[in-house]
Amino acid sequence: LVHGVNLDWHEGATLTGFSIAGATGQGKSVLLNNMIISLLYKKHPAELKFVLIDTHIIEFNLYSQIEKHYLTKLPDSEKAIVSETYKVVRTLQSLCKEMDDRYELISKSGTKNIREYNQRFKIRRLNPLQGHRFLPYIVVVIDEYSDLAMISGKETESSLIQLTGKGHIAGIHIILATQRPTKNIITGDLKANFPVQIAFKVSDSLESRIIIDKNGAEDLSGRGDALYCNEMNTTRIQVPYVSTEEIREIVCFIADQQGYSHAYELPEYISSSDNYSLGSIDLNERDPLFEEAARLIVVHQQGSTSLIQRKFVIGYNRAGRLMDQLEVAGVVGPTQGSKPRDVLIIDEYSLEQKISSLNKGN
């Protein structure tokens, strides 16, 4: 399933939503790689980021080399390729938060979509000091959705429906594929949000109707032979073959180019079960890194959890607890979605007075 991809790689060209399904070995993975490679050819790393979800681990492994160019990751993740089911749920929830944050920025800018917003940003009509930033497109690629549907179906589907419902306005798009086109996997609610489908060869007409609402996919010849269906027409297509070696050469070429210092970070999603009262934090039991983290934040004047994580090489959960302690201590302000927190102490002298006061209170 590919949803709402409209990346404007040349004037008048759009890639609309797809649902990709078919039996094993009929060409789904080749098509996914074709789509990824095509986007790599067309978009600069500043304009495009991928969320690659691969529960089988090996399908998207080659793309890990371009993590600092094109990939996204959760702040506490070591790897950009998402393979653990619980991280898939967190990633999709985090994408929903990214979408909401982008909607807020687009609304504040007086524009209607990501394309207009980025155009205004590029001509300097939007002020970064007011929280505005260039928004790269984000394309989510899920290789085998059935694995997720069986383990965390409700949570995964709920996030996907949110993203497919309005994500295209904010530049977030979904590509979803499965080799098990059953009603339990491709539910009616999910299918309704993917207006375009690609069906590879399937075992019987029932599966064909689940994918494209009509017979025909059971009669395909295999090896990339597919039916492309949008809301208006059905077209028989042949998916071009791209080899692993070709993918490797392209990825290695990109990896040799100058990249960013780290992958594009998605915002932290805090569920109600993870949330807790700041009043429960005891500053008499501060983290051993508390004072160093406070100095780091004040020197940089940036209330960023990821800054603490990278500087001290610690996990995101510990960095988040440190940031909560800094909030209770009055060093930083409350969370502001994906934006850094406000730093409430303006210089190191004032910070040393604050730390001295805390130490006297022990």
Side-chain angles (χ1 to χ4, degrees):
L1 300 164
V2 180
H3 170 267
V5 183
N6 180 356
L7 304 190
D8 304 310
W9 39 74
H10 60 80
E11 186 175 356
T14 60
L15 179 60
T16 54
F18 291 91
S19 52
I20 304 173
T24 304
Q26 301 305 313
K28 296 186 306 301
S29 294
V30 173
L31 176 58
L32 292 179
N33 283 308
N34 263 290
M35 290 179 167
I36 294 172
I37 293 300
S38 295
L39 291 169
L40 292 178
Y41 265 95
K42 295 293 183 179
K43 284 294 183 182
H44 187 274
E47 301 174 291
L48 172 66
K49 302 298 178 183
F50 286 99
V51 175
L52 299 180
I53 297 175
D54 177 16
T55 56
H56 293 168
I57 301 175
I58 59 174
E59 186 59 47
F60 294 143
N61 192 48
L62 281 174
Y63 299 108
S64 62
Q65 297 179 62
I66 56 174
E67 172 182 319
K68 295 181 179 179
H69 297 77
Y70 280 102
L71 302 191
T72 71
K73 64 193 298 187
L74 293 171
D76 60 342
S77 295
E78 295 182 5
K79 299 179 181 179
I81 311 295
V82 185
S83 56
E84 298 92 342
T85 302
Y86 77 95
K87 283 192 176 181
V88 173
V89 174
R90 285 186 55 203
T91 299
L92 294 177
Q93 291 170 335
S94 182
L95 281 165
C96 290
K97 189 174 189 312
E98 173 80 9
M99 178 181 68
D100 292 339
D101 292 343
R102 290 182 172 210
Y103 259 79
E104 182 179 348
L105 290 175
I106 292 171
S107 175
K108 286 169 58 178
S109 72
T111 58
K112 295 182 179 180
N113 53 50
I114 185 175
R115 186 179 183 184
E116 293 181 11
Y117 177 90
N118 283 339
Q119 286 176 339
R120 285 183 59 83
F121 186 88
K122 286 190 285 187
I123 62 175
R124 301 186 178 184
R125 296 293 179 85
L126 300 175
N127 190 348
L129 296 179
Q130 296 177 351
H132 290 292
R133 55 192 171 95
F134 185 84
L135 302 176
Y137 290 98
I138 298 177
V139 177
V140 184
V141 187
I142 302 176
D143 180 45
E144 183 46 70
Y145 176 66
S146 63
D147 293 345
L148 306 176
M150 289 186 293
I151 299 174
S152 58
K154 290 183 179 180
E155 291 178 293
T156 302
E157 183 174 311
S158 174
S159 295
L160 285 173
I161 289 174
Q162 289 183 60
L163 291 168
T164 53
K166 60 179 185 177
H168 60 287
I169 299 294
I172 300 175
H173 311 285
I174 313 293
I175 302 176
L176 186 153
T178 182
Q179 65 184 21
R180 297 183 59 188
T182 64
K183 289 185 177 180
N184 292 334
I185 303 300
I186 304 178
T187 65
D189 290 340
L190 186 64
K191 185 176 178 181
N193 286 278
F194 290 83
V196 179
Q197 303 87 36
I198 293 181
F200 289 90
K201 184 176 176 60
V202 293
S203 59
D204 55 50
S205 59
L206 175 61
E207 292 185 346
S208 179
R209 291 193 295 273
I210 291 173
I211 303 169
I212 59 176
D213 291 326
K214 63 183 72 175
N215 296 343
E218 72 279 10
D219 296 325
L220 295 171
S221 61
R223 290 184 171 272
D225 189 15
L227 293 175
Y228 170 94
C229 302
N230 57 28
E231 295 175 325
M232 302 293 293
N233 303 297
T234 299
T235 306
R236 192 168 182 176
I237 63 172
Q238 175 64 47
V239 175
Y241 177 70
V242 56
S243 69
T244 301
E245 188 56 38
E246 288 175 305
I247 297 171
R248 182 179 289 109
E249 290 180 3
I250 294 169
V251 168
C252 287
F253 177 83
I254 296 172
D256 287 339
Q257 314 305 311
Q258 179 66 44
Y260 296 96
S261 59
H262 53 86
Y264 184 89
E265 287 189 353
L266 296 172
E268 179 189 13
Y269 173 83
I270 301 176
S271 67
S272 57
S273 60
D274 294 332
N275 200 11
Y276 57 91
S277 171
L278 291 176
S280 64
I281 295 176
D282 185 358
L283 291 182
N284 292 323
E285 298 179 359
R286 299 190 297 274
D287 189 287
L289 292 174
F290 175 86
E291 293 185 14
E292 291 182 68
R295 293 187 181 97
L296 176 71
I297 293 298
V298 171
V299 167
H300 286 80
Q301 285 294 296
Q302 180 182 355
S304 168
T305 304
S306 58
L307 175 64
I308 294 176
Q309 182 190 4
R310 290 194 300 271
K311 177 65 177 179
F312 299 114
V313 194
I314 59 177
Y316 192 79
N317 291 336
R318 183 180 179 187
R321 288 193 295 271
L322 268 165
M323 189 61 76
D324 289 338
Q325 291 177 4
L326 291 170
E327 180 182 348
V328 172
V331 177
V332 298
T335 182
Q336 303 182 86
S338 62
K339 296 184 290 185
R341 297 171 185 244
D342 292 330
V343 181
L344 305 180
I345 295 181
I346 60 174
D347 55 43
E348 291 184 81
Y349 177 75
S350 300
L351 175 64
E352 294 305 324
Q353 288 184 312
K354 169 70 72 173
I355 291 174
S356 177
S357 173
L358 291 172
N359 290 336
K360 288 178 181 179
N362 288 343

